Structure formats: C-alpha cells, structure tokens
Amino acid sequence: MDFTNLLATEVQTFINQNIDSDINRLLLKRSSFPNVTIQEIVQQIKGRKVAQRKFPFLLNENIIFPPNLNLEQASSQSTAEYKAKDIKGKSFLDLTSGFGIDAFFLSQNFEEVTLVEQNPELIKIVEHNWKTLNRKADFINQNLEEFLESLGQAANDDFRKFDVVYLDPARRDQNNKKKFLLEDLSPNLLEIEEQLHSISDKIIVKLSPLIDISYLVSELQNINEIKIIAVRNEVKELVLIIENKPSTVNQQPTTISCINLESDEPEFSFYINEEKTATSEFSESLDFLYIPNNSMLKAGAFNIISKKFGLKKLHPNTHFYTSEHKLDNFPGRILQVEKIDGKDLKKNDQFNIISKNYPLKPDEIKKKYKLKDGGKRYLIFTQSINGKEILRSV
C-alpha cells in the first residue's frame, strides 16, 4: 500500500483545513486531487476527529487513519496507557494488532516487539504510523493461528518464547453480531490456551465489558487478575492477566481490580473469594450516601464494600451504602443527604434524579412530581431495610 498521494503536502493541508467541515457536504464534492478520492480524504478527516477525543498522540503530521470500524474497535489512549503500567520485559507479542493503539503503549518497555495482523491494509497503516513515530517493531501480516503454528515449528526455542503476549479477540461474527462467550470469539481462547502458555508465561487478554466474571474464572485457568477498566464511570473493557505458574507454586485466588480512569477515585482491589465470604450490615440512610462506581458494580463487590470501608448497606438489593461520618477515598460518588417526604417537593424543582430499587423510573418520578431534570442537587429514590426512602442532597 502506497500512501504517497495521500501524504502529499497539499492533500494534508486540505485535510487539516476541513477538520470541522460538514462530512456529508464534502462527500458530494469532487476531489481536487487527481490521485486521491474524496472518500479517502473524508476518511482521514474522520480519523483525525476520532483521534482528538480517543488517541491524541496520533495528531501528528503524516499519520494515516484506517476505516471507521478499526477506529471504533481500537482502545482509547487512556485505557492503553493504563494497561501498560508496570508491564515490561525483553520481548512483546501482540497477536491481534488491529490499529495498534494497545501495542504502542504496552510495548514501550520492551526491546523486541512483534505485531501480528491478518488484515494486510491495516498492518501497513500501523507500520507506516509507527515508523512516523520512530517506534520499531516486526510487522507480520498473517492469520493468528498460522503464526502460532509457525512458532511451534520453529527450531529456535528463544524465538518461540515471549515475555508478554497480548490479544484482543474479535467479538463480532460474520454478520457483525456481537458475541460474548469465549468459544464464540475469534480466536477461541479455549482452543489456543495451551499454545499461548507454551510461548509465554504472561498473557494479557482484552474482553468485552459485558462478559460475566464468574464465567471467565470457571472457564480459563491461571487468571491472576481481572482488571475492570472504566473511563468517567463507563466500563470500557475487562482485561485478564493470565500467568502460567508451576504447579508447585501456591496460587493466590484471582484478584479483581476496579479502575475508573479520568476521575479522582481510588483503585479498589479484592480477592474474588473475599466477596463470597463477606457479609454486610444494613441500615436506613444516615448522613452520607455512597454510590459505588460502575467498575465496582460490574465486579459484584456488594458485600466487600461494607467490610473494607466499614459502611452499612441500605438493603440487600440496593447497592447504596451509608454512614454517619464522611469517609474519604471511596471509589464512587459521596453525597451528604437528608430524608424528605414526597409532599415536600415543589413543582418545577430541579434535580438530578436517581432511582435504585424503587418502583418508579426517573422519567416517571419527574412526571409524578412535576420536576425538572438537571442542576447541582440530587434526588434519590431508593429502598432501605425500613422501606422506601426519598433522599435529597444537602
């Protein structure tokens, strides 16, 4: 693939000048450049707009962006940087390179880097971008299964071993339908698990945030840690750290780590069996209400929160917590609250409405009490062990 025409100075100038232009209008125009189509130009504009919010490190001159699907599937810069923390070694292998965002950051502390990608155009784009950014690697255009087979046939044992292997299995079938079970992903982790362990003692796997954690632990061996990564309270991905340890080593239970990036909230970790044995104390709402972030809720850390932070839970089915005195460094939102009666609410009062374990949804609450949405105050409709409660932030 030759990017010469697309990288011509006049073409790049046009792209930069039209970053904020109406894409649909541009597509109706004819390209001003004989060797570059308007579709190619628009794709680069789209790519730069995605990079502005998702991976700003690529907002450099002469960077090439792939089709939309590859941009959507790529990790964000913030999640990639987080995954790269404390990851280092001599040799790194990414078996599903894609647009190479994760690989770019994960591989930064390695001497030898290998990227495998079956899409020939995509791997050429990644190779070009990495060279533009002065990052070296071996770029291999090959099917993952074929590459693993070639490693198995190699006579040199040093070549067959990597300090870290990373992969992000495809989660859509040929009809673009989302898949969540391990056996439905491409590659099927259950089928290649032994092969992966034969070439590395540390495997990092990125998975959908919707996949069930207990299912993962029951299906895969040697999961050392499951990282639940959220960005501004939206869970983006689950990352498995799988370590191939000798059977003589006493293995700790799987650690669950809850992370909410681009926030001031602390990271929270616990052993998966701690939640099974922990119990909660229950109480009606007190002076402070604690709402766990979504990475904590995804982890199912419902009872361990009470134990670790010394908080009381409102109700077995209400994942809100309470205390008389404010506890700092909680991984979620902390509100000082007071109980009110629904009769105290006035028409056109403005609140951010939260409804948990309560019969009415926020829209129904707004309609019933004739409230407006928004503002700085919160109104919480929930249930404690004493029954339904309406709480107002102070």
Side-chain angles (χ1 to χ4, degrees):
M1 181 180 287
D2 187 2
F3 304 116
T4 304
N5 294 327
L6 197 54
L7 293 171
T9 302
E10 60 273 20
V11 177
Q12 289 294 302
T13 299
F14 181 86
I15 290 170
N16 290 327
Q17 290 176 341
N18 285 275
I19 288 296
D20 296 319
S21 296
D22 187 303
I23 295 296
N24 293 323
R25 286 189 178 183
L26 276 178
L27 285 170
L28 294 175
K29 296 181 179 180
R30 183 175 297 177
S31 173
S32 303
F33 311 102
N35 298 314
V36 182
T37 67
I38 193 65
Q39 288 79 12
E40 290 175 308
I41 290 171
V42 165
Q43 184 54 54
Q44 296 311 301
I45 293 173
K46 288 180 178 178
R48 285 188 176 275
K49 291 179 78 69
V50 171
Q52 286 175 347
R53 62 176 171 81
K54 199 171 180 182
F55 19 76
F57 81 101
L58 287 179
L59 292 174
N60 284 11
E61 293 296 322
N62 298 323
I63 294 296
I64 298 293
F65 293 96
N68 291 347
L69 181 60
N70 302 121
L71 294 172
E72 292 171 9
Q73 292 176 339
S75 292
S76 67
Q77 182 172 337
S78 60
T79 58
E81 286 177 325
Y82 178 82
K83 290 194 285 283
K85 286 174 56 180
D86 305 321
I87 299 294
K88 58 185 178 179
K90 182 181 179 182
S91 56
F92 172 85
L93 169 65
D94 187 337
L95 284 168
T96 54
S97 166
F99 190 36
I101 304 298
D102 279 329
F104 189 86
F105 291 97
L106 281 162
S107 66
Q108 61 191 352
N109 294 321
F110 291 81
E111 299 173 25
E112 303 166 6
V113 178
T114 304
L115 273 61
V116 178
E117 171 56 48
Q118 64 181 356
N119 183 327
E121 294 183 358
L122 188 56
I123 195 67
K124 282 295 182 184
I125 290 174
V126 175
E127 183 175 3
H128 165 82
N129 288 344
W130 281 43
K131 287 181 179 177
T132 301
L133 297 170
N134 297 314
R135 181 66 65 83
K136 294 181 179 180
D138 291 325
F139 302 92
I140 298 175
N141 175 212
Q142 196 172 18
N143 176 285
L144 177 150
E145 286 81 7
E146 292 174 355
F147 177 79
L148 289 177
E149 186 177 346
S150 70
L151 287 184
Q153 294 171 352
N156 187 341
D157 286 339
D158 290 334
F159 175 70
R160 293 173 59 246
K161 278 285 186 180
F162 297 85
D163 292 316
V164 174
V165 170
Y166 177 79
L167 66 160
D168 177 6
R171 305 170 205 149
R172 294 179 183 270
D173 62 16
Q174 294 179 342
N175 298 317
N176 206 32
K177 186 178 179 181
K178 290 184 179 181
K179 296 292 184 180
F180 303 108
L181 296 179
L182 294 173
E183 57 264 33
D184 294 332
L185 303 181
S186 179
N188 180 343
L189 283 175
L190 302 178
E191 287 184 349
I192 65 169
E193 190 175 5
E194 286 190 20
Q195 283 178 289
L196 295 176
H197 284 310
S198 71
I199 62 172
S200 180
D201 290 331
K202 189 163 192 171
I203 301 156
I204 303 176
V205 184
K206 172 186 167 184
L207 294 171
S208 164
L210 298 179
I211 200 163
D212 184 73
I213 290 175
S214 58
Y215 162 73
L216 290 175
V217 174
S218 67
E219 293 292 324
L220 289 171
Q221 303 297 315
N222 302 319
I223 301 178
N224 183 60
E225 183 179 10
I226 299 176
K227 294 178 179 288
I228 304 171
I229 303 177
V231 179
R232 296 188 297 275
N233 209 27
E234 181 182 352
V235 179
K236 294 292 188 179
E237 57 194 59
L238 265 62
V239 177
L240 312 185
I241 310 296
I242 303 173
E243 295 190 355
N244 191 17
K245 297 178 180 178
S247 57
T248 54
V249 176
N250 291 325
Q251 294 189 12
Q252 291 277 15
T254 300
T255 298
I256 308 292
S257 296
C258 307
I259 303 101
N260 189 18
L261 299 176
E262 300 180 27
S263 78
D264 296 328
E265 297 169 7
E267 184 173 327
F268 179 74
S269 298
F270 62 98
Y271 291 126
I272 195 167
N273 59 350
E274 286 186 289
E275 173 62 26
K276 296 176 182 177
T277 58
T279 56
S280 294
E281 289 187 40
F282 298 96
S283 169
E284 62 181 333
S285 58
L286 303 171
D287 293 333
F288 292 91
L289 187 75
Y290 302 82
I291 305 174
N293 66 41
N294 285 330
S295 67
M296 299 277 285
L297 296 177
K298 172 63 183 179
F302 305 136
N303 293 321
I304 197 68
I305 290 176
S306 288
K307 181 179 178 181
K308 291 276 187 177
F309 294 99
L311 299 173
K312 294 182 179 179
K313 202 167 186 279
L314 291 191
H315 185 277
N317 297 323
T318 304
H319 306 313
F320 287 163
Y321 302 82
T322 192
S323 68
E324 289 182 322
H325 304 287
K326 186 178 180 182
L327 172 74
D328 293 321
N329 297 320
F330 179 78
R333 191 181 302 158
I334 306 171
L335 299 174
Q336 187 172 2
V337 295
E338 61 182 0
K339 294 179 190 175
I340 64 168
D341 191 292
K343 297 176 182 177
D344 297 332
L345 295 171
K346 297 178 182 178
K347 183 179 179 180
N348 293 326
D349 273 351
Q350 190 173 34
F351 293 98
N352 295 293
I353 298 172
I354 299 174
S355 175
K356 295 291 183 183
N357 196 21
Y358 194 85
L360 300 179
K361 296 178 180 179
D363 285 343
E364 294 171 323
I365 291 169
K366 282 189 292 183
K367 185 176 180 180
K368 177 179 178 179
Y369 293 99
K370 298 180 174 58
L371 302 172
K372 290 184 178 179
D373 200 12
K376 296 182 178 180
R377 295 183 300 170
Y378 286 86
L379 194 63
I380 301 102
F381 289 73
T382 188
Q383 186 173 179
S384 75
I385 54 166
N386 288 350
K388 296 174 188 174
E389 292 188 358
I390 302 176
L391 309 175
R392 180 171 57 195
S393 62
V394 177

Coordinates of all heavy atoms in Angstrom, one line a residue, residues 78-109:
S78 N -6.2 6.5 26.9 CA -6.1 6.4 28.4 C -6.2 5.0 28.9 O -5.5 4.6 29.8 CB -7.3 7.2 29.0 OG -8.5 6.7 28.5
T79 N -7.0 4.1 28.2 CA -7.0 2.7 28.7 C -5.8 2.0 28.3 O -5.3 1.1 29.0 CB -8.3 2.0 28.1 OG1 -8.2 2.0 26.7 CG2 -9.6 2.6 28.6
A80 N -5.2 2.3 27.1 CA -4.0 1.7 26.7 C -2.8 2.1 27.6 O -2.0 1.2 28.0 CB -3.6 2.1 25.2
E81 N -2.7 3.3 28.0 CA -1.7 3.8 28.9 C -1.8 3.1 30.2 O -0.8 2.7 30.9 CB -1.7 5.3 29.1 CG -1.2 6.1 27.9 CD -1.4 7.6 28.0 OE1 -2.4 8.0 28.7 OE2 -0.5 8.3 27.5
Y82 N -3.1 2.9 30.7 CA -3.2 2.2 32.0 C -2.8 0.8 31.9 O -2.1 0.3 32.8 CB -4.7 2.3 32.4 CG -4.9 1.6 33.7 CD1 -4.6 2.2 35.0 CD2 -5.3 0.2 33.8 CE1 -4.7 1.5 36.1 CE2 -5.4 -0.5 34.9 CZ -5.1 0.2 36.1 OH -5.2 -0.5 37.3
K83 N -3.2 0.1 30.9 CA -2.8 -1.3 30.7 C -1.3 -1.5 30.7 O -0.7 -2.5 31.1 CB -3.4 -1.9 29.5 CG -4.9 -2.1 29.5 CD -5.4 -3.0 28.4 CE -5.5 -2.3 27.1 NZ -6.6 -1.4 26.9
A84 N -0.6 -0.5 30.2 CA 0.9 -0.5 30.1 C 1.6 -0.3 31.4 O 2.9 -0.5 31.4 CB 1.3 0.5 29.0
K85 N 0.9 0.1 32.4 CA 1.6 0.4 33.7 C 2.3 -0.9 34.2 O 1.7 -2.0 34.3 CB 0.6 0.9 34.7 CG 0.2 2.3 34.5 CD -1.0 2.7 35.5 CE -0.5 2.5 36.9 NZ -1.6 2.8 37.9
D86 N 3.5 -0.8 34.5 CA 4.3 -1.9 35.1 C 4.5 -3.1 34.2 O 4.8 -4.2 34.7 CB 3.6 -2.3 36.5 CG 3.5 -1.2 37.4 OD1 4.4 -0.4 37.5 OD2 2.4 -1.1 38.1
I87 N 4.2 -3.0 32.9 CA 4.4 -4.1 32.0 C 5.8 -3.8 31.3 O 6.0 -2.8 30.6 CB 3.3 -4.1 30.9 CG1 1.9 -4.4 31.6 CG2 3.6 -5.2 29.9 CD1 1.8 -5.7 32.3
K88 N 6.7 -4.8 31.5 CA 8.0 -4.6 30.8 C 8.6 -6.0 30.7 O 8.2 -7.0 31.2 CB 8.9 -3.7 31.7 CG 9.1 -4.2 33.1 CD 9.9 -3.2 33.9 CE 10.1 -3.7 35.4 NZ 10.9 -2.7 36.2
G89 N 9.7 -6.0 29.9 CA 10.4 -7.2 29.6 C 11.3 -7.1 28.4 O 11.5 -5.9 27.9
K90 N 11.7 -8.2 27.8 CA 12.6 -8.1 26.6 C 11.7 -8.2 25.4 O 11.9 -7.5 24.4 CB 13.6 -9.2 26.7 CG 14.5 -9.2 25.5 CD 15.6 -10.3 25.5 CE 16.5 -10.3 24.3 NZ 17.5 -11.4 24.3
S91 N 10.8 -9.2 25.3 CA 10.1 -9.4 24.1 C 8.6 -9.4 24.3 O 8.0 -9.9 25.3 CB 10.4 -10.8 23.5 OG 10.2 -11.8 24.4
F92 N 7.9 -8.7 23.4 CA 6.4 -8.5 23.4 C 5.8 -8.9 22.1 O 6.3 -8.6 21.0 CB 6.1 -7.0 23.7 CG 4.7 -6.6 23.6 CD1 3.8 -6.8 24.7 CD2 4.1 -6.1 22.4 CE1 2.5 -6.5 24.6 CE2 2.8 -5.8 22.3 CZ 1.9 -6.0 23.4
L93 N 4.7 -9.6 22.2 CA 3.9 -10.1 21.0 C 2.5 -9.7 21.1 O 1.8 -10.0 22.1 CB 4.1 -11.6 20.9 CG 3.1 -12.3 19.9 CD1 3.5 -11.9 18.5 CD2 3.2 -13.8 20.0
D94 N 2.0 -9.0 20.1 CA 0.6 -8.7 20.0 C 0.0 -9.5 18.9 O 0.4 -9.3 17.7 CB 0.3 -7.2 19.7 CG -1.1 -6.8 19.8 OD1 -2.0 -7.7 19.6 OD2 -1.4 -5.6 20.0
L95 N -0.8 -10.5 19.2 CA -1.4 -11.4 18.2 C -2.5 -10.9 17.4 O -2.9 -11.5 16.4 CB -1.8 -12.7 18.9 CG -0.6 -13.6 19.3 CD1 -1.1 -14.7 20.2 CD2 0.0 -14.2 18.1
T96 N -3.1 -9.8 17.9 CA -4.3 -9.2 17.2 C -4.1 -7.7 17.1 O -4.9 -6.9 17.8 CB -5.6 -9.5 17.9 OG1 -5.5 -9.1 19.3 CG2 -5.9 -11.0 17.9
S97 N -3.1 -7.2 16.4 CA -2.7 -5.8 16.4 C -3.8 -4.8 16.2 O -3.9 -3.8 16.9 CB -1.6 -5.6 15.4 OG -1.3 -4.2 15.2
G98 N -4.7 -5.1 15.2 CA -5.7 -4.0 14.9 C -5.0 -2.7 14.5 O -4.0 -2.7 13.8
F99 N -5.5 -1.6 15.0 CA -4.9 -0.3 14.7 C -3.6 0.0 15.6 O -3.0 1.0 15.5 CB -5.9 0.8 14.9 CG -5.5 2.1 14.4 CD1 -4.7 2.3 13.3 CD2 -5.9 3.3 15.1 CE1 -4.4 3.5 12.8 CE2 -5.6 4.5 14.6 CZ -4.8 4.7 13.5
G100 N -3.3 -1.0 16.5 CA -2.0 -0.9 17.2 C -2.0 0.1 18.4 O -0.9 0.4 18.9
I101 N -3.1 0.5 18.9 CA -3.1 1.5 20.0 C -2.6 0.8 21.3 O -1.6 1.3 21.9 CB -4.5 2.1 20.2 CG1 -5.0 2.8 19.0 CG2 -4.4 3.1 21.4 CD1 -4.2 3.9 18.4
D102 N -3.1 -0.3 21.6 CA -2.7 -1.0 22.8 C -1.2 -1.4 22.7 O -0.4 -1.2 23.6 CB -3.5 -2.3 23.0 CG -4.9 -2.0 23.7 OD1 -4.9 -1.0 24.5 OD2 -5.8 -2.7 23.5
A103 N -0.9 -1.9 21.5 CA 0.5 -2.4 21.3 C 1.5 -1.2 21.5 O 2.6 -1.4 22.0 CB 0.7 -3.0 19.9
F104 N 1.1 -0.1 21.0 CA 2.0 1.1 21.0 C 2.5 1.4 22.5 O 3.6 1.7 22.7 CB 1.4 2.3 20.4 CG 2.3 3.5 20.2 CD1 3.1 3.6 19.1 CD2 2.4 4.5 21.2 CE1 4.0 4.6 18.9 CE2 3.3 5.5 21.0 CZ 4.1 5.6 19.9
F105 N 1.5 1.3 23.4 CA 1.8 1.7 24.8 C 2.3 0.4 25.6 O 3.3 0.6 26.4 CB 0.6 2.3 25.5 CG 0.3 3.6 24.9 CD1 -0.7 3.8 23.9 CD2 1.0 4.8 25.4 CE1 -0.9 5.1 23.4 CE2 0.7 6.0 24.9 CZ -0.2 6.2 23.9
L106 N 1.7 -0.7 25.4 CA 2.1 -1.9 26.1 C 3.6 -2.3 25.8 O 4.3 -2.8 26.6 CB 1.2 -3.1 25.7 CG -0.1 -3.1 26.5 CD1 -1.1 -4.0 25.7 CD2 0.0 -3.6 27.9
S107 N 4.0 -2.0 24.5 CA 5.4 -2.5 24.1 C 6.5 -1.5 24.4 O 7.6 -1.7 24.1 CB 5.3 -2.7 22.6 OG 5.1 -1.5 21.9
Q108 N 6.1 -0.3 25.0 CA 7.1 0.7 25.1 C 8.3 0.4 26.0 O 9.4 1.0 25.9 CB 6.5 2.0 25.7 CG 5.8 1.9 27.1 CD 5.0 3.1 27.4 OE1 5.0 4.1 26.7 NE2 4.2 3.0 28.5
N109 N 8.2 -0.6 26.9 CA 9.3 -1.0 27.8 C 9.8 -2.4 27.4 O 10.3 -3.2 28.2 CB 8.8 -1.1 29.2 CG 8.4 0.3 29.8 OD1 9.1 1.3 29.5 ND2 7.3 0.3 30.5

